[in-house]
Amino acid sequence: MPRHALFIHGTWLTPAIWEPFQRRFSACGYCCTAPPWPVAKGGRQPGISALLAHYETLVRSLEQPPLLIGHDLGGLLVQLLLDRGLGQAGIAIDPLPPRAGLLGLYSTWPWLLPWVGWRDLLYMTPQYFARNMAQTLTPAEQSAAYARHIVPAPGRVFVEAALGIGSTVDFTNGERAPLLLLAAGSSHIVRANVVAVLYRRHRGSSAITSFKQFPGYSHWLIAEPGWERIADYSIEWVQNQVGRF
């Protein structure tokens, strides 16, 4: 039976962001899926608890524990799922930390100020995307990436991530599966030093925890030129942890 890799996208993005990674992992024998976030119900946008429940249901529906791979908020969800005993291993790429606080999310603070908007969909401008999320791309690449991948995000998740609502992790949990934390050296959204601190907190567990920083990459590292380095390192790491086919 082929191993399953489940990809979890982050804020502002759709599952299509994972298409290159899925092709890479599929070539190594993985059965890959990248499910979308759940839709709003009754006008209520999903929060972190709803996202976690959604992916937990998907993971439990699989015949065997999958490899979990997440970016941004998806990386936070990977940590939460592993902490709940789910997944064969987890890879969190430029992940939001549990209870990020305003410092951990300082680049998104403009969306936290208008508290009345926390129930609404929020929109990222092309200028913000070019300056903070994908500053390593050329202007032409930025325009193409924004047009293809950027969508509105539920304001609720930013507030909950900052305050730690629905994102408690037991950093001493020695029963969780192996975890790899990847940091983008030039990320303006989740600074590399934030991921390094997160790594040290996870090291409080006896479970396997690994860390790797990629200098020169932005928060867009899973789709910017050179994304293959990120994918190949991830594949090599997980094969060293759970074995090759």
PDB file of all heavy atoms in Angstrom, residues 108-129:
ATOM      1  N   THR A 108       1.389  40.683  10.389  1.00  0.00           N
ATOM      2  CA  THR A 108      -0.040  40.639  10.083  1.00  0.00           C
ATOM      3  C   THR A 108      -0.842  41.521  11.022  1.00  0.00           C
ATOM      4  O   THR A 108      -2.067  41.508  10.983  1.00  0.00           O
ATOM      5  CB  THR A 108      -0.574  39.189  10.179  1.00  0.00           C
ATOM      6  OG1 THR A 108      -0.397  38.717  11.497  1.00  0.00           O
ATOM      7  CG2 THR A 108       0.122  38.273   9.202  1.00  0.00           C
ATOM      8  N   TRP A 109      -0.160  42.302  11.872  1.00  0.00           N
ATOM      9  CA  TRP A 109      -0.896  43.097  12.855  1.00  0.00           C
ATOM     10  C   TRP A 109      -1.874  44.079  12.239  1.00  0.00           C
ATOM     11  O   TRP A 109      -2.870  44.414  12.871  1.00  0.00           O
ATOM     12  CB  TRP A 109       0.066  43.813  13.796  1.00  0.00           C
ATOM     13  CG  TRP A 109       0.897  44.897  13.162  1.00  0.00           C
ATOM     14  CD1 TRP A 109       2.169  44.781  12.712  1.00  0.00           C
ATOM     15  CD2 TRP A 109       0.520  46.255  12.916  1.00  0.00           C
ATOM     16  NE1 TRP A 109       2.617  45.958  12.189  1.00  0.00           N
ATOM     17  CE2 TRP A 109       1.624  46.889  12.307  1.00  0.00           C
ATOM     18  CE3 TRP A 109      -0.629  47.001  13.148  1.00  0.00           C
ATOM     19  CZ2 TRP A 109       1.613  48.219  11.917  1.00  0.00           C
ATOM     20  CZ3 TRP A 109      -0.650  48.341  12.767  1.00  0.00           C
ATOM     21  CH2 TRP A 109       0.458  48.935  12.167  1.00  0.00           C
ATOM     22  N   PRO A 110      -1.677  44.613  11.018  1.00  0.00           N
ATOM     23  CA  PRO A 110      -2.695  45.526  10.491  1.00  0.00           C
ATOM     24  C   PRO A 110      -4.086  44.906  10.429  1.00  0.00           C
ATOM     25  O   PRO A 110      -5.086  45.606  10.547  1.00  0.00           O
ATOM     26  CB  PRO A 110      -2.171  45.854   9.083  1.00  0.00           C
ATOM     27  CG  PRO A 110      -0.695  45.683   9.188  1.00  0.00           C
ATOM     28  CD  PRO A 110      -0.512  44.507  10.114  1.00  0.00           C
ATOM     29  N   TRP A 111      -4.159  43.567  10.269  1.00  0.00           N
ATOM     30  CA  TRP A 111      -5.471  42.916  10.204  1.00  0.00           C
ATOM     31  C   TRP A 111      -6.046  42.656  11.589  1.00  0.00           C
ATOM     32  O   TRP A 111      -7.213  42.314  11.719  1.00  0.00           O
ATOM     33  CB  TRP A 111      -5.366  41.607   9.418  1.00  0.00           C
ATOM     34  CG  TRP A 111      -5.172  41.874   7.960  1.00  0.00           C
ATOM     35  CD1 TRP A 111      -6.098  42.366   7.076  1.00  0.00           C
ATOM     36  CD2 TRP A 111      -3.983  41.689   7.213  1.00  0.00           C
ATOM     37  NE1 TRP A 111      -5.529  42.503   5.827  1.00  0.00           N
ATOM     38  CE2 TRP A 111      -4.240  42.085   5.876  1.00  0.00           C
ATOM     39  CE3 TRP A 111      -2.708  41.230   7.531  1.00  0.00           C
ATOM     40  CZ2 TRP A 111      -3.292  42.039   4.865  1.00  0.00           C
ATOM     41  CZ3 TRP A 111      -1.761  41.184   6.526  1.00  0.00           C
ATOM     42  CH2 TRP A 111      -2.052  41.587   5.217  1.00  0.00           C
ATOM     43  N   LEU A 112      -5.220  42.772  12.636  1.00  0.00           N
ATOM     44  CA  LEU A 112      -5.715  42.539  13.978  1.00  0.00           C
ATOM     45  C   LEU A 112      -6.271  43.809  14.619  1.00  0.00           C
ATOM     46  O   LEU A 112      -6.974  43.733  15.617  1.00  0.00           O
ATOM     47  CB  LEU A 112      -4.589  41.986  14.864  1.00  0.00           C
ATOM     48  CG  LEU A 112      -4.005  40.645  14.430  1.00  0.00           C
ATOM     49  CD1 LEU A 112      -2.849  40.270  15.353  1.00  0.00           C
ATOM     50  CD2 LEU A 112      -5.047  39.556  14.426  1.00  0.00           C
ATOM     51  N   LEU A 113      -5.967  44.976  14.041  1.00  0.00           N
ATOM     52  CA  LEU A 113      -6.405  46.230  14.642  1.00  0.00           C
ATOM     53  C   LEU A 113      -7.912  46.456  14.525  1.00  0.00           C
ATOM     54  O   LEU A 113      -8.564  46.793  15.505  1.00  0.00           O
ATOM     55  CB  LEU A 113      -5.636  47.405  14.020  1.00  0.00           C
ATOM     56  CG  LEU A 113      -4.137  47.442  14.365  1.00  0.00           C
ATOM     57  CD1 LEU A 113      -3.496  48.655  13.716  1.00  0.00           C
ATOM     58  CD2 LEU A 113      -3.924  47.481  15.865  1.00  0.00           C
ATOM     59  N   PRO A 114      -8.511  46.296  13.342  1.00  0.00           N
ATOM     60  CA  PRO A 114      -9.960  46.513  13.247  1.00  0.00           C
ATOM     61  C   PRO A 114     -10.711  45.292  13.765  1.00  0.00           C
ATOM     62  O   PRO A 114     -11.121  44.417  13.013  1.00  0.00           O
ATOM     63  CB  PRO A 114     -10.185  46.721  11.736  1.00  0.00           C
ATOM     64  CG  PRO A 114      -9.113  45.920  11.091  1.00  0.00           C
ATOM     65  CD  PRO A 114      -7.915  45.994  12.022  1.00  0.00           C
ATOM     66  N   TRP A 115     -10.868  45.193  15.091  1.00  0.00           N
ATOM     67  CA  TRP A 115     -11.444  43.987  15.689  1.00  0.00           C
ATOM     68  C   TRP A 115     -12.812  43.651  15.122  1.00  0.00           C
ATOM     69  O   TRP A 115     -13.213  42.493  15.104  1.00  0.00           O
ATOM     70  CB  TRP A 115     -11.541  44.173  17.206  1.00  0.00           C
ATOM     71  CG  TRP A 115     -10.198  44.186  17.847  1.00  0.00           C
ATOM     72  CD1 TRP A 115      -9.424  45.274  18.071  1.00  0.00           C
ATOM     73  CD2 TRP A 115      -9.444  43.069  18.298  1.00  0.00           C
ATOM     74  NE1 TRP A 115      -8.230  44.915  18.650  1.00  0.00           N
ATOM     75  CE2 TRP A 115      -8.223  43.558  18.813  1.00  0.00           C
ATOM     76  CE3 TRP A 115      -9.676  41.689  18.340  1.00  0.00           C
ATOM     77  CZ2 TRP A 115      -7.242  42.739  19.344  1.00  0.00           C
ATOM     78  CZ3 TRP A 115      -8.709  40.868  18.877  1.00  0.00           C
ATOM     79  CH2 TRP A 115      -7.512  41.383  19.372  1.00  0.00           C
ATOM     80  N   VAL A 116     -13.537  44.659  14.645  1.00  0.00           N
ATOM     81  CA  VAL A 116     -14.849  44.372  14.078  1.00  0.00           C
ATOM     82  C   VAL A 116     -14.736  43.469  12.857  1.00  0.00           C
ATOM     83  O   VAL A 116     -15.679  42.788  12.485  1.00  0.00           O
ATOM     84  CB  VAL A 116     -15.571  45.687  13.706  1.00  0.00           C
ATOM     85  CG1 VAL A 116     -14.885  46.370  12.527  1.00  0.00           C
ATOM     86  CG2 VAL A 116     -17.044  45.438  13.395  1.00  0.00           C
ATOM     87  N   GLY A 117     -13.559  43.450  12.223  1.00  0.00           N
ATOM     88  CA  GLY A 117     -13.395  42.652  11.006  1.00  0.00           C
ATOM     89  C   GLY A 117     -12.977  41.222  11.247  1.00  0.00           C
ATOM     90  O   GLY A 117     -12.780  40.486  10.292  1.00  0.00           O
ATOM     91  N   TRP A 118     -12.863  40.819  12.508  1.00  0.00           N
ATOM     92  CA  TRP A 118     -12.364  39.467  12.753  1.00  0.00           C
ATOM     93  C   TRP A 118     -13.345  38.399  12.311  1.00  0.00           C
ATOM     94  O   TRP A 118     -12.978  37.254  12.109  1.00  0.00           O
ATOM     95  CB  TRP A 118     -12.010  39.283  14.223  1.00  0.00           C
ATOM     96  CG  TRP A 118     -13.173  39.143  15.156  1.00  0.00           C
ATOM     97  CD1 TRP A 118     -13.967  40.139  15.616  1.00  0.00           C
ATOM     98  CD2 TRP A 118     -13.658  37.937  15.736  1.00  0.00           C
ATOM     99  NE1 TRP A 118     -14.922  39.639  16.457  1.00  0.00           N
ATOM    100  CE2 TRP A 118     -14.750  38.274  16.553  1.00  0.00           C
ATOM    101  CE3 TRP A 118     -13.275  36.598  15.664  1.00  0.00           C
ATOM    102  CZ2 TRP A 118     -15.475  37.334  17.270  1.00  0.00           C
ATOM    103  CZ3 TRP A 118     -13.988  35.669  16.377  1.00  0.00           C
ATOM    104  CH2 TRP A 118     -15.078  36.029  17.171  1.00  0.00           C
ATOM    105  N   ARG A 119     -14.609  38.767  12.119  1.00  0.00           N
ATOM    106  CA  ARG A 119     -15.593  37.795  11.642  1.00  0.00           C
ATOM    107  C   ARG A 119     -15.677  37.743  10.121  1.00  0.00           C
ATOM    108  O   ARG A 119     -16.404  36.932   9.574  1.00  0.00           O
ATOM    109  CB  ARG A 119     -16.982  38.157  12.192  1.00  0.00           C
ATOM    110  CG  ARG A 119     -17.095  38.058  13.704  1.00  0.00           C
ATOM    111  CD  ARG A 119     -18.537  38.288  14.119  1.00  0.00           C
ATOM    112  NE  ARG A 119     -18.669  38.144  15.559  1.00  0.00           N
ATOM    113  CZ  ARG A 119     -19.282  39.017  16.342  1.00  0.00           C
ATOM    114  NH1 ARG A 119     -19.820  40.097  15.818  1.00  0.00           N
ATOM    115  NH2 ARG A 119     -19.368  38.821  17.639  1.00  0.00           N
ATOM    116  N   ASP A 120     -14.975  38.626   9.456  1.00  0.00           N
ATOM    117  CA  ASP A 120     -15.115  38.785   8.011  1.00  0.00           C
ATOM    118  C   ASP A 120     -13.950  38.145   7.261  1.00  0.00           C
ATOM    119  O   ASP A 120     -12.940  37.758   7.845  1.00  0.00           O
ATOM    120  CB  ASP A 120     -15.172  40.278   7.658  1.00  0.00           C
ATOM    121  CG  ASP A 120     -16.310  40.997   8.362  1.00  0.00           C
ATOM    122  OD1 ASP A 120     -17.360  40.347   8.571  1.00  0.00           O
ATOM    123  OD2 ASP A 120     -16.138  42.176   8.709  1.00  0.00           O
ATOM    124  N   LEU A 121     -14.114  38.094   5.949  1.00  0.00           N
ATOM    125  CA  LEU A 121     -13.002  37.735   5.088  1.00  0.00           C
ATOM    126  C   LEU A 121     -12.098  38.951   4.918  1.00  0.00           C
ATOM    127  O   LEU A 121     -12.572  40.081   4.779  1.00  0.00           O
ATOM    128  CB  LEU A 121     -13.511  37.276   3.716  1.00  0.00           C
ATOM    129  CG  LEU A 121     -14.140  35.889   3.650  1.00  0.00           C
ATOM    130  CD1 LEU A 121     -14.740  35.658   2.268  1.00  0.00           C
ATOM    131  CD2 LEU A 121     -13.103  34.804   3.950  1.00  0.00           C
ATOM    132  N   LEU A 122     -10.794  38.723   4.946  1.00  0.00           N
ATOM    133  CA  LEU A 122      -9.824  39.788   4.781  1.00  0.00           C
ATOM    134  C   LEU A 122      -9.107  39.618   3.445  1.00  0.00           C
ATOM    135  O   LEU A 122      -8.954  38.503   2.946  1.00  0.00           O
ATOM    136  CB  LEU A 122      -8.817  39.759   5.927  1.00  0.00           C
ATOM    137  CG  LEU A 122      -9.415  39.846   7.333  1.00  0.00           C
ATOM    138  CD1 LEU A 122      -8.313  39.774   8.382  1.00  0.00           C
ATOM    139  CD2 LEU A 122     -10.223  41.118   7.497  1.00  0.00           C
ATOM    140  N   TYR A 123      -8.668  40.738   2.890  1.00  0.00           N
ATOM    141  CA  TYR A 123      -8.082  40.729   1.557  1.00  0.00           C
ATOM    142  C   TYR A 123      -6.657  41.264   1.601  1.00  0.00           C
ATOM    143  O   TYR A 123      -6.394  42.302   2.200  1.00  0.00           O
ATOM    144  CB  TYR A 123      -8.929  41.572   0.593  1.00  0.00           C
ATOM    145  CG  TYR A 123     -10.305  40.994   0.359  1.00  0.00           C
ATOM    146  CD1 TYR A 123     -11.321  41.188   1.288  1.00  0.00           C
ATOM    147  CD2 TYR A 123     -10.575  40.224  -0.763  1.00  0.00           C
ATOM    148  CE1 TYR A 123     -12.582  40.638   1.090  1.00  0.00           C
ATOM    149  CE2 TYR A 123     -11.836  39.676  -0.972  1.00  0.00           C
ATOM    150  CZ  TYR A 123     -12.830  39.886  -0.040  1.00  0.00           C
ATOM    151  OH  TYR A 123     -14.076  39.332  -0.232  1.00  0.00           O
ATOM    152  N   MET A 124      -5.742  40.546   0.966  1.00  0.00           N
ATOM    153  CA  MET A 124      -4.352  40.974   0.878  1.00  0.00           C
ATOM    154  C   MET A 124      -4.161  41.774  -0.406  1.00  0.00           C
ATOM    155  O   MET A 124      -4.601  41.345  -1.478  1.00  0.00           O
ATOM    156  CB  MET A 124      -3.411  39.767   0.875  1.00  0.00           C
ATOM    157  CG  MET A 124      -1.935  40.149   0.762  1.00  0.00           C
ATOM    158  SD  MET A 124      -0.849  38.727   0.516  1.00  0.00           S
ATOM    159  CE  MET A 124      -0.959  37.942   2.113  1.00  0.00           C
ATOM    160  N   THR A 125      -3.488  42.904  -0.307  1.00  0.00           N
ATOM    161  CA  THR A 125      -3.222  43.714  -1.492  1.00  0.00           C
ATOM    162  C   THR A 125      -2.012  43.161  -2.247  1.00  0.00           C
ATOM    163  O   THR A 125      -1.124  42.524  -1.648  1.00  0.00           O
ATOM    164  CB  THR A 125      -2.938  45.169  -1.115  1.00  0.00           C
ATOM    165  OG1 THR A 125      -1.716  45.226  -0.359  1.00  0.00           O
ATOM    166  CG2 THR A 125      -4.089  45.759  -0.293  1.00  0.00           C
ATOM    167  N   PRO A 126      -1.939  43.415  -3.549  1.00  0.00           N
ATOM    168  CA  PRO A 126      -0.735  42.994  -4.296  1.00  0.00           C
ATOM    169  C   PRO A 126       0.532  43.619  -3.737  1.00  0.00           C
ATOM    170  O   PRO A 126       1.591  42.989  -3.750  1.00  0.00           O
ATOM    171  CB  PRO A 126      -1.028  43.492  -5.716  1.00  0.00           C
ATOM    172  CG  PRO A 126      -2.516  43.594  -5.805  1.00  0.00           C
ATOM    173  CD  PRO A 126      -2.963  44.003  -4.434  1.00  0.00           C
ATOM    174  N   GLN A 127       0.420  44.857  -3.234  1.00  0.00           N
ATOM    175  CA  GLN A 127       1.597  45.533  -2.691  1.00  0.00           C
ATOM    176  C   GLN A 127       2.118  44.819  -1.432  1.00  0.00           C
ATOM    177  O   GLN A 127       3.326  44.643  -1.260  1.00  0.00           O
ATOM    178  CB  GLN A 127       1.260  46.993  -2.363  1.00  0.00           C
ATOM    179  CG  GLN A 127       0.934  47.846  -3.580  1.00  0.00           C
ATOM    180  CD  GLN A 127      -0.472  47.598  -4.124  1.00  0.00           C
ATOM    181  OE1 GLN A 127      -1.336  47.041  -3.433  1.00  0.00           O
ATOM    182  NE2 GLN A 127      -0.707  48.023  -5.362  1.00  0.00           N
ATOM    183  N   TYR A 128       1.187  44.426  -0.558  1.00  0.00           N
ATOM    184  CA  TYR A 128       1.600  43.713   0.654  1.00  0.00           C
ATOM    185  C   TYR A 128       2.227  42.369   0.288  1.00  0.00           C
ATOM    186  O   TYR A 128       3.245  41.970   0.860  1.00  0.00           O
ATOM    187  CB  TYR A 128       0.406  43.489   1.582  1.00  0.00           C
ATOM    188  CG  TYR A 128       0.787  42.821   2.883  1.00  0.00           C
ATOM    189  CD1 TYR A 128       1.135  43.585   3.997  1.00  0.00           C
ATOM    190  CD2 TYR A 128       0.842  41.433   2.986  1.00  0.00           C
ATOM    191  CE1 TYR A 128       1.527  42.971   5.182  1.00  0.00           C
ATOM    192  CE2 TYR A 128       1.233  40.820   4.165  1.00  0.00           C
ATOM    193  CZ  TYR A 128       1.563  41.590   5.257  1.00  0.00           C
ATOM    194  OH  TYR A 128       1.955  40.986   6.420  1.00  0.00           O
ATOM    195  N   PHE A 129       1.638  41.670  -0.659  1.00  0.00           N
ATOM    196  CA  PHE A 129       2.170  40.381  -1.096  1.00  0.00           C
ATOM    197  C   PHE A 129       3.594  40.540  -1.614  1.00  0.00           C
ATOM    198  O   PHE A 129       4.491  39.774  -1.242  1.00  0.00           O
ATOM    199  CB  PHE A 129       1.280  39.801  -2.195  1.00  0.00           C
ATOM    200  CG  PHE A 129       1.803  38.532  -2.807  1.00  0.00           C
ATOM    201  CD1 PHE A 129       1.727  37.331  -2.131  1.00  0.00           C
ATOM    202  CD2 PHE A 129       2.380  38.538  -4.077  1.00  0.00           C
ATOM    203  CE1 PHE A 129       2.209  36.154  -2.690  1.00  0.00           C
ATOM    204  CE2 PHE A 129       2.871  37.373  -4.641  1.00  0.00           C
ATOM    205  CZ  PHE A 129       2.780  36.182  -3.951  1.00  0.00           C
TER     206      PHE A 129
END
